[in-house]
Amino acid sequence: MTDRRTNGKITTISARCDDVDVDEAADLEKAISATGYGTFNVLLLIAALPAAWTGLFDTTTTAFILASAECDLQLTFFRKGVLLAFPYIGITLTSFMWDHVTPYVGARNLFVVGLLLDTVLNIVSTVVDSYYAFLAIKFLSGVLVGGPFSIVLGYLSEFHSAEYKAGFTRWAGLLVNVGIIVPAVVAFLVLPLTWEVEIFDRRYNTWRIYLLICTTVPLIGLLTASTLPQTPKYLLEIGRTEDALNLLRTTYAVNRWMPADTFPIKKLLARQDAQLSRRSLFKENSEKIRLALYNTKQVFSGPYLRTVSLLGFLQFGSMLAFNTMRLWVPHMFKILSNFDAERWTEDRPPTMSEMLDRRRTVPARDYLSCPDFDDICMTWTINAPVYQKSAMIATSAVTVAFLAGIITTTKFRKKILLLAGFLLSVVGSFGSNWAQAPLYMLLLCIAIIVTTRVTGNVVNAVNADVFPTLLRSTSLNILTTFGNLGSILGNLIFSALLNLDSLYGFIGLGCLMFACFCLSFLPLEPVKPSPKSLDRPTV
């Protein structure tokens, strides 16, 4: 039964059962609160987790095959950097469009389509021999990472009331970030092996098998995502109010172990203009784009310009260092493990830049006299401990970032974490090259990765403190774009510098981190906008 009040903004839409009282009505937030928190929410998280992990796999697995695939894909240092940067290019170029697509398609449908496409892309990546074809696949993976897989936490949060949302997001974020660790563990178990099999007359060596194994994550995600429900909010917005109420009843029954017909909410209140299916897709998105452009203009003008510029630079530096070092450390230390110590004649330990020189490695012994040495691909010895250390690095970054998120409850603590994080990253950047042994080099590189992960999270937390609610989402999207640009430029520039002298790369990174450290001293107080700046454009 539908009961409309034409003189107001609220319409009462009820899904009625003859044997229950229909006098109790509530809005969506109250109805979700009545479902509680329990088994349904946990099962929902488990089913959605592979979708979130798929995005992390798409940006991480390439880092572990650079040494193994060097000859097959004809990889130079710079080509490797481009390969690592391309997913972030796909993210940056297309992430803006997903906010306009999701309300009309539904997050669950995006998950299914995205996981299906990602599974196909990952399988194709295991059979290509062309560097450019592999590059195109990584770009398309980045497009998917910027869309379906980035909205998992947002999808899950729509099943939680305000009482549980913050705590759930924190712990769910921890489980999602564990996905950074898994590719390193799989690499440790698979890549040191010398497997070679034929599948459908196609030769699969170890790095192709590694990618094929990693494809099981989106494949499992495709199966589990097919069981996910649409969110109550989405169902309400497209006019399927009875389905939304039935979903809430099911959630209530599973969480509280009570019969579904005892759910206390019998009617849902919905806005008349909330049904997206009754409005023009073009008109709706035109208004959203116009509002987004207006908000962006506000953020980059008036009292907000200084704040967004400062936070943007700090996020740019944090993500440049984090996503450059975490993706390059496995390959760099693979080269270090191939260093030819027998031919080192100096009275001092070699520096990292000297150990990364391809001419000083064991595989280079037979090619030193070749005039086209730089064009020769090296067959590296794949040592399992390198990937074991990569897993430890990822575990440290996830754990420390989670613990830092728990304690960053005051402005003072956030300021201290920013200063300490950037200071340690400066020490790690300047010290890595001259450490006395690979172990110390590794520890200093870990310091860069862990601390910049923390500073990136702190910058996002500060953003929530200093920007007004109406502009907070826009400013966060801008900071994310700055971070993605840092990831792109970091991998491109660092790879080019590695080809010249890795010392330049670490010195440049140290200078950037020192600039971030100095800027962290500047005060960041909540911006007090003029009333005019918060006016919305007429739509």
Side-chain angles (χ1 to χ4, degrees), residues 436-459:
Q436 294 295 306
L439 176 61
Y440 301 132
M441 297 175 187
L442 178 65
L443 291 174
L444 290 170
C445 288
I446 291 175
I448 301 172
I449 296 170
V450 173
T451 56
T452 52
R453 177 70 177 185
V454 171
T455 55
N457 290 347
V458 173
V459 169

Side-chain angles (χ1 to χ4, degrees), residues 293-324:
L293 292 174
Y294 179 83
N295 286 342
T296 302
K297 178 182 176 182
Q298 292 299 312
V299 170
F300 281 105
S301 62
Y304 307 108
L305 180 58
R306 172 188 175 275
T307 302
V308 74
S309 299
L310 177 56
L311 291 179
F313 186 85
L314 296 180
Q315 189 72 317
F316 175 87
S318 296
M319 291 299 98
L320 183 150
F322 174 70
N323 283 317
T324 300

Side-chain angles (χ1 to χ4, degrees), residues 15-90:
R16 183 166 185 168
C17 299
D18 293 334
D19 57 342
V20 296
D21 181 18
V22 296
D23 293 333
E24 299 176 38
D27 60 16
L28 182 60
E29 180 60 33
K30 182 177 179 181
I32 291 176
S33 181
T35 64
Y37 179 87
T39 305
F40 183 90
N41 304 93
V42 174
L43 293 176
L44 200 68
L45 173 60
I46 294 173
L49 204 56
W53 280 14
T54 296
L56 296 174
F57 270 55
D58 285 347
T59 58
T60 303
T61 52
T62 306
F64 296 104
I65 66 167
L66 294 179
S68 303
E70 184 167 316
C71 292
D72 290 340
L73 298 179
Q74 299 178 336
L75 298 177
T76 62
F77 267 130
F78 186 69
R79 279 190 166 194
K80 293 170 185 175
V82 173
L83 205 54
L84 295 174
F86 247 59
Y88 294 100
I89 296 176

Side-chain angles (χ1 to χ4, degrees), residues 60 110 122 168 208 214 226 233 239 342 359 407 456 465:
T60 303
L110 274 182
N122 276 277
F168 174 83
R208 298 180 191 275
C214 291
S226 301
K233 179 182 177 183
E342 295 180 5
R359 291 181 175 275
I407 67 173
D465 294 337

Side-chain angles (χ1 to χ4, degrees), residues 96-104 281 284-286 288-289 292:
F96 72 92
M97 74 178 185
W98 295 108
D99 288 339
H100 305 289
V101 174
T102 305
Y104 300 95
L281 175 65
E284 185 74 24
N285 275 321
S286 296
K288 291 179 69 174
I289 292 172

Side-chain angles (χ1 to χ4, degrees), residues 92-114:
T92 305
L93 292 179
T94 60
S95 59
F96 72 92
M97 74 178 185
W98 295 108
D99 288 339
H100 305 289
V101 174
T102 305
Y104 300 95
V105 179
R108 194 278 306 272
N109 295 339
L110 274 182
F111 294 156
V112 173
V113 174

